[in-house]
Amino acid sequence: MKDRRAELDETILRFARERKWGKYHGPKNLAMAMVKEAAEIVEIFQWLTPAQAKNLTAAQRAHLAEELADTYIYLKKIGDHFGIDLTEASLAKMKKNALKYPAALNRGRIHKR
Ligand SMILES: [Mg+2]
């Protein structure tokens, strides 16, 4: 079976290529589009109570999946433009975060010391 990540990468590239949208997909436009899609995630939670936000309806959850995907696709395209692998960059950042926020000093605390 084909690797799903490779399939996604290829699908994202093909989608823009078939539509000749490459000229519109510079990093500035992609960053703006990514933030717009991230705002659509926020919109799902807007006006919900904290309890409602933790227990989305099936329709809200499906909508959330779509907006997360839209946001991820633009993040991926921004990374691609600069030769940044999102998985590798995220793993590297998590290593930095672990050093910045050692578990022993930050357990149960979200504010910086
Ligand atoms: Mg969207």
Side-chain angles (χ1 to χ4, degrees):
M1 187 174 141
K2 192 173 186 180
D3 176 64
R4 296 287 284 166
R5 192 171 138 197
E7 180 185 343
L8 173 61
D9 291 355
E10 186 182 306
T11 302
I12 291 170
L13 284 173
R14 189 176 56 245
F15 185 89
R17 190 172 50 238
E18 287 175 350
R19 287 156 184 79
K20 298 190 185 305
W21 285 354
K23 62 188 170 194
Y24 304 112
H25 285 178
K28 179 194 73 73
N29 286 1
L30 292 171
M32 295 171 80
M34 184 275 296
V35 169
K36 180 259 190 192
E37 295 299 341
E40 290 179 10
I41 295 170
V42 174
E43 197 172 35
I44 292 168
F45 294 106
Q46 188 179 23
W47 312 122
L48 297 182
T49 65
Q52 289 170 327
K54 287 181 181 175
N55 298 290
L56 297 178
T57 65
Q60 288 168 324
R61 187 185 179 285
H63 186 190
L64 177 62
E66 289 198 351
E67 302 311 341
L68 289 171
D70 282 342
T71 303
Y72 176 84
I73 290 163
Y74 283 121
L75 279 175
K76 167 100 180 64
K77 290 181 71 70
I78 295 167
D80 286 349
H81 183 86
F82 294 105
I84 297 168
D85 180 304
L86 280 186
T87 301
E88 294 302 325
S90 298
L91 286 169
K93 188 60 171 68
M94 286 306 295
K95 272 188 187 171
K96 279 181 80 171
N97 290 346
L99 293 173
K100 188 174 179 182
Y101 303 101
L105 298 177
N106 293 278
R107 195 165 288 118
R109 302 170 46 96
I110 57 169
H111 299 292
K112 290 182 182 175
R113 288 185 177 229

